[in-house]
Amino acid sequence: ADKAPCRMACPAGLNVQGYVQMVKEGKFHEALEIIMEDLPLPGVLGRICPHGCEDACRRAEVDEPVAIRNLKRLAADRVDPRGIQIPCAPARPERVAIIGSGPAGLSCAYHLARKGFRSTIFEALSQPGGMLRVGIPAHRLPREVLAQEIEVVTHLGVEIKLNTALGRDLTIDDLFREGY
């Protein structure tokens, strides 16, 4: 299937046209459902995404690109992402250990949970979020937005163990022994 340049430029492969159309129609819940098919952190990325989709936007040939990132943020700010139903496959017996609760770890846990895998995130810091929490100032990424979107992931059954660093507090062999 031929995909639009904005979708091709998106590292997450979001259905940009779909959620932009829903926002245009004022259907913010539906827009967030479309976004969260591929992405667990819409409010976070609605603020900090480098938005290469806008560089690729065909609308720029006419006047200026669609403000795609801001429309994602608008949908996430209008609807609590914790209220979106996330379909998950039946639970599987395998357990997966994920090191770090930054955007990659949270996204990994989210997508694994949707496929039925149980996972535990091991985070060295005393709070979850990794570089989202410690590398991006709160005025740019409000902590309540980050907390809500971490809850989206934990509500799928993902456990986060804080103050647990690989190397300092556990080893790969420890994880294997614990059944990961």
Side-chain angles (χ1 to χ4, degrees):
D2 185 32
K3 291 185 181 176
C6 52
R7 187 169 189 169
M8 296 293 289
C10 177
L14 292 184
N15 176 357
V16 175
Q17 310 96 302
Y19 78 79
V20 166
Q21 183 63 35
M22 290 298 106
V23 169
K24 177 183 173 186
E25 295 175 17
K27 297 178 179 177
F28 301 111
H29 189 274
E30 292 84 348
L32 208 53
E33 285 178 328
I34 291 169
I35 294 165
M36 293 179 76
E37 286 174 15
D38 299 303
L39 180 75
L41 308 168
V44 168
L45 288 174
R47 289 168 169 79
I48 65 164
C49 176
H51 57 86
C53 54
E54 294 178 27
D55 294 334
C57 181
R58 283 191 187 126
R59 183 70 199 181
E61 297 168 12
V62 178
D63 46 27
E64 59 187 44
V66 173
I68 298 167
R69 179 182 64 186
N70 290 339
L71 294 174
K72 184 185 308 127
R73 177 179 175 174
L74 177 62
D77 286 354
R78 289 287 179 95
V79 176
D80 188 332
R82 295 170 297 184
I84 300 296
Q85 285 294 112
I86 307 297
C88 292
R92 299 174 52 106
E94 300 92 347
R95 293 176 36 204
V96 178
I98 298 169
I99 308 303
S101 66
L106 291 168
S107 295
C108 180
Y110 177 81
H111 289 292
L112 285 170
R114 294 192 61 201
K115 293 180 183 309
F117 290 93
R118 296 176 300 140
S119 61
T120 302
I121 299 174
F122 295 90
E123 172 55 57
L125 301 174
S126 61
Q127 293 183 298
M131 290 309 293
L132 295 173
R133 182 175 301 279
V134 299
I136 300 173
H139 71 272
R140 182 105 190 275
L141 176 57
R143 297 307 177 236
E144 60 273 11
V145 170
L146 179 58
Q148 285 180 356
E149 295 187 357
I150 290 171
E151 278 185 47
V152 167
V153 176
T154 58
H155 284 170
L156 298 180
V158 174
E159 182 183 2
I160 300 177
K161 290 190 178 182
L162 301 172
N163 301 307
T164 310
L166 184 66
R168 182 187 73 201
D169 302 304
L170 71 145
T171 67
I172 297 291
D173 287 339
D174 293 333
L175 295 173
F176 283 126
R177 278 192 291 279
E178 292 178 28
Y180 292 99

